[in-house]
Amino acid sequence: MATGMRHTMHTLFKTAAEAVLPPLSKSAFAEKGVLTPEEFTATGDYLVRACPTWSWEGGDARKRRVFLPEGKQYLVTRNVPCMRRAAELEAYDPESEFTLGGDEEGWTATHNDPAGDKAAAAAEVVPDMDAAGDKKEDEDDIPDMGDLELAADDDEAALPAAATTSKAGGGKYMKVEEPEETIVRTRTYDLYMTYDQYYQCPRFWLVGYDESRHPLAPDQVMEDVSEEHARKTITVDPHPNLSLVAASIHPCKHAEVMKKLVDNIVEGGGSFEIEHYLLLFLKFISSVVPTIQYDYTMSIGQ
């Protein structure tokens, strides 16, 4: 209850602040990881060219933000598949996660640390093929096929006893039982990215549907968010350009995390252009929604 009240009060304060404060006009990306509206538009244009599944839209004209072009109020990609719940992918284990931000309040990546994976791969023992080849069996040692017959209880392929039924003539017939349903029910998502004037960075929105195209409730959307982030960073708010309420990844840490990611690229000898911002942003967001398969397929910092 207290958390909900605090979020409501913050939303009211944020809305009031945006009404009186002008949008960012001077680039501060290098210092703070934030974007001006012009930079958001430029990186959005690059995303649309690089990943055509994304497109610009204008939304409700009554909700238009005057500091963005009329037809470029937000970015959207629709009918994005989500075949599994996040918990199925993670089999959630806190030991398998590592902090991306570097402190207790930092974002948490939902995948194993790549350094740990490499160490495990290096420790794997490879058998010596030459040693295995020195062992030969005499033909007399080859067992008779009859000796290999399995008892019915040991044969995994054998028809279970419960699956055969006697009939009046003394014979038997097979009783077919319906298997458990194995069809994967695929959810789909419409994903939006808007410009948040207060936090001066993109904000990511999720509108989900079940296999019958019925809207998902907020608690169902949470099933497709990594457990760590579902508890900390997902809020349900009115969409700024459309007449709907949707789950979103709260942008309060976005600029900080993006600056750290870019710094890591540069320190590693790579280069980064601000027009690539949204591609890197989407790679970062993929750790929050690991089973929603949207397009961000382009290398960054090469």
Side-chain angles (χ1 to χ4, degrees):
M1 181 66 178
T3 301
M5 180 63 70
R6 185 164 57 248
H7 174 66
T8 300
M9 295 300 295
H10 176 72
T11 300
L12 292 173
F13 169 79
K14 178 174 174 291
T15 302
E18 290 179 343
V20 298
L21 296 176
L24 183 66
S25 59
K26 183 179 179 180
S27 179
F29 172 74
E31 299 81 15
K32 301 179 180 179
V34 296
L35 296 177
T36 66
E38 292 76 19
E39 288 171 333
F40 174 73
T41 303
T43 185
D45 287 343
Y46 187 86
L47 175 67
V48 170
R49 292 195 303 270
C51 305
T53 54
W54 290 89
S55 62
W56 284 109
E57 288 189 358
D60 189 338
R62 297 169 299 177
K63 298 176 178 289
R64 181 192 167 198
R65 305 297 179 96
V66 295
F67 49 79
L68 290 172
E70 183 176 354
K72 296 182 178 181
Q73 294 287 299
Y74 59 88
L75 290 148
V76 60
T77 182
R78 291 188 170 85
N79 298 317
V80 179
C82 179
M83 297 183 181
R84 293 185 292 171
R85 308 292 70 79
E88 296 176 34
L89 180 65
E90 295 173 14
Y92 182 68
D93 176 8
E95 298 298 325
S96 70
E97 297 192 342
F98 65 99
T99 301
L100 187 63
D103 53 35
E104 291 183 359
E105 296 299 323
W107 292 77
T108 302
T110 59
H111 310 294
N112 288 326
D113 190 341
D117 292 340
K118 291 180 180 178
E124 185 177 352
V125 178
V126 179
D128 188 340
M129 295 300 295
D130 292 335
D134 291 340
K135 296 182 179 180
K136 297 182 179 180
E137 292 182 335
D138 294 332
E139 292 184 1
D140 294 340
D141 294 332
I142 299 175
D144 187 272
M145 290 299 292
D147 297 335
L148 298 180
E149 292 182 358
L150 296 175
D153 292 340
D154 298 329
D155 188 356
E156 295 181 356
L159 185 67
T164 59
T165 306
S166 297
K167 59 182 180 179
K172 294 184 178 181
Y173 61 88
M174 182 181 297
K175 178 183 178 183
V176 179
E177 297 180 356
E178 288 290 336
E180 294 184 6
E181 184 177 3
T182 57
I183 298 174
V184 177
R185 299 296 182 181
T186 302
R187 292 177 174 181
T188 56
Y189 277 87
D190 294 345
L191 306 175
Y192 301 85
M193 284 190 289
T194 61
Y195 178 77
D196 192 287
Q197 181 185 352
Y198 183 81
Y199 289 105
Q200 301 167 344
C201 64
R203 184 167 186 172
F204 192 87
W205 301 80
L206 308 93
V207 178
Y209 302 90
D210 64 18
E211 64 277 6
S212 300
R213 200 60 184 173
H214 296 140
L216 298 177
D219 60 331
Q220 292 175 300
V221 173
M222 295 296 183
E223 297 172 353
D224 297 322
V225 178
S226 80
E227 184 173 342
E228 180 70 14
H229 296 101
R231 294 196 302 265
K232 289 184 177 180
T233 62
I234 302 297
T235 60
V236 178
D237 294 292
H239 190 288
N241 299 101
L242 301 171
S243 299
L244 58 83
V245 174
S248 75
I249 301 173
H250 200 274
C252 58
K253 296 286 184 181
H254 286 2
E256 176 187 346
V257 173
M258 288 296 294
K259 185 177 187 309
K260 289 181 179 179
L261 291 175
V262 172
D263 288 346
N264 289 342
I265 290 173
V266 175
E267 290 170 4
S271 61
F272 185 82
E273 300 294 335
I274 197 167
E275 64 181 4
H276 298 159
Y277 185 104
L278 284 179
L279 286 170
L280 182 60
F281 176 76
L282 287 173
K283 288 192 175 187
F284 151 55
I285 293 296
S286 69
S287 70
V288 184
V289 287
T291 58
I292 300 179
Q293 301 168 13
Y294 58 79
D295 186 14
Y296 60 94
T297 52
M298 189 171 182
S299 60
I300 301 297
Q302 300 299 321

